[in-house]
Amino acid sequence: MSTALDTDVRPEDRFISAFEVNHGQALNGVNASIAQQREDAIERFSQLGIPDNSLEAWKYTDISKTIDRPYTLSLAAEGPSVAPSDIEPFTIDAMDAHRVVLVNGHVDESLSDIGDLPAGVVVSSLAQAGETHPDVVEAHYGQYADAEDEALTALNTAFVQDGAFVYVPSGTIVEKPIFFLHITAGDEPLFLQPRHLFVVEDGAIAKIVEAQHALTDAQTFTNTVSEAFVGERANLKHYLFQDEGTSASQVHTRAGTQKDNSVYSTNTITFSGEVVRNNATIEADGSFCESNLYGLCIGKDEMHVDNHTQMDHVQPDCNSNELYKHVLNDESTAVFNGKVLVTRGSQRIDAYQQNDTIVLTDDANIYTKPELEIYADDVVCSHGATTGQVDEEGVFYLRSRGLSERRAHILMLQAFTDEVVSEYKIDPLRDYIAEKIRQRFASYFA
Amino acid sequence: MALLEINNLHVGVEDEDIKILNGVDLTLDTGDMHAIMGPNGSGKSTLASVLAGREEYEVLEGDIHYDGEDLLELEPEERAEEGVFLAFQYPVELPGVSMTNFLKESVNSVREARGQEELSSAEFLQQMRERADMLGLDADLTKRSVNEGFSGGEKKRNEIFQLAMLEPRLAILDETDSGLDIDALQSVANGVNKLRDGDRGFLVITHYERILQYIVPDRVHVMMDGQIARSGDKELAQQLEEHGYEWIRDEVAAAAA
């Protein structure tokens, strides 16, 4: 079932009327609190409206224009049929993983290969988890993402239907990566709203890999909300590789919270997309937390990529490291806004933020802004931003050792991105991404 | 045929009305070690840069023949392939570029150009170990990014290490001795002497006479105001150490008057 959005009316009203028409279609019935959250969320969405660039947080990315297109709001209970050969280029077979393929936000079991999981670990669709593990879902769902102030999170919440789910119980180690391969398929211009929930309890260790690809050239918009809980002494590495092609736009909102002595690392690489807005928020809600936020954007053509990060230090004795890099070619645009909040009483925080950009053409643009809000007095917070070209002195050095000018440029760009790519602590995944990046750079100097 | 023949070389800076070299003549034969000395700003490093193919310099007049070939026609990487090597005065740090990968690519591109087979990984690693040993270079440095976090001495030693790996026919050392302590100076000089096997020519650019106590040159040239003002044997270096450069300037001025 789907609903075409009527473009004659205000875009907000299209979603609101679609909500009313499809009232019973979503993750309802499973649990009364989710149904109530949906009602509240559409109300909140209606009040907030779709953000435009009159809002400071959306100054350089006018998402309202991208949303205001005649998308089909997909409310089907499952995705279209996709052949294994269609997803072959994306499966990263060298990576031994618990693989789950989602098509348009729905798990496709025939394409998935979850394999054997340690006892108690759950890797499934969110809809299924609502039935099998209602207590876990209820305890964490909707707790970390902000549906109160973020219109697109409210919109996702109102239409919540399905998505990815991971539950790693206390003390459990999942050695192999859990790999979610998100596929957008179908001929229609789709508006998708997957919703993911990752729960890693006290002392548990897991690596979650997400990759986004599209099998369609139709214009699509994906409004993802993803929530993560990282318990005491737990360690979660969370990697996201975005490569949906030139006709796909998305807002990807990730909200994670972590408890005492835990480590939470995220790393987002944006390789393609039309308009991509990533909101990554981490709340270090415990002492002695380590938080790592890494990101890389390889922009070309007219790609527009906006990374908004928010690091909330609300407890003392934590450290956070943030590094986002961009390599921008053609007329691509990147936005980086890194907010660090240290609340009163959150002493002895060590927060580091860096954003570095290489601009390859006169028409590429970078807007970078650190935003530090510090209410404690015993903290070390640093930030830096650089923008420049490839270091020609380095290129000459390499050429004087026999490397061609082309090879020298590729190597210099690879070296620049390596600082982020090398943080992918899964060798076959890192090699796969590094090779894709190398090929992209090679294409620039053909 | 001379290995390197520089005739009446005039060089300026691209887009700027600055002239740095004003008619340099110099001939170097295979097996020879020549030193170029001179005060700051006399054009020594510019000459090295022009030989390596740095693009911000513009040759206004004159020519350079390397092994009979017009060197100025070649791209920097072609010069490397043909056997020209510049040890940089300021070696460049390349974070993210591993020493091993960089050197392997460099060695193999030069070997390919010379019609030699690519080295296998095992052969390459063995050669790398041998040459690092020979120069007293800490083998751990080869596991790091190129020059990143290297001390000044390590960077200069790394240049000589690359020289040893690439086996050039013409090696230009641009102030490789400056800033070195005596241990580093000796190990750099030892490395150069080991590579001085009669099959290559060396052009050692230096500010000080002290390195020439370890690397004994066949000829010493004094560069002043973009010209070779005087040439002589190794005794000339000793005279410069004792009396400075001004007496040469005075003599040149007197001769011109």
Side-chain angles (χ1 to χ4, degrees), chain A residues 139-192:
Chain A
H140 297 284
Y141 171 84
Q143 299 302 304
Y144 315 120
D146 181 6
E148 188 58 30
D149 297 312
E150 295 293 335
L152 289 155
T153 300
L155 183 64
N156 176 289
T157 304
F159 285 88
V160 64
Q161 200 179 11
D162 206 353
F165 177 77
V166 170
Y167 172 59
V168 186
S170 292
T172 305
I173 298 170
V174 185
E175 287 187 8
K176 291 197 240 173
I178 300 164
F179 176 26
F180 292 104
L181 176 52
H182 302 288
I183 301 288
T184 304
D187 304 324
E188 296 163 300
L190 291 170
F191 193 95
L192 300 169

Side-chain angles (χ1 to χ4, degrees), chain B residues 141-174:
Chain B
L141 291 181
T142 61
K143 293 177 186 141
R144 305 205 340 224
S145 290
V146 179
N147 293 324
E148 191 190 24
F150 286 26
S151 69
E154 285 168 343
K155 282 182 183 167
K156 297 297 178 83
R157 238 182 277 210
N158 189 25
E159 293 295 290
I160 304 304
F161 172 57
Q162 291 173 43
L163 195 169
M165 290 296 290
L166 291 173
E167 303 176 339
R169 296 181 53 217
L170 172 63
I172 304 143
L173 277 57
D174 188 7

Side-chain angles (χ1 to χ4, degrees), chain A residues 393 397 399 401-402 407, chain B residues 75 77 105-106 159 162:
Chain A
E393 187 62 20
Y397 191 73
R399 292 179 73 190
R401 299 300 183 250
R407 188 65 196 113
Chain B
E75 295 292 327
E77 57 270 33
E105 199 161 325
S106 169
E159 293 295 290
Q162 291 173 43

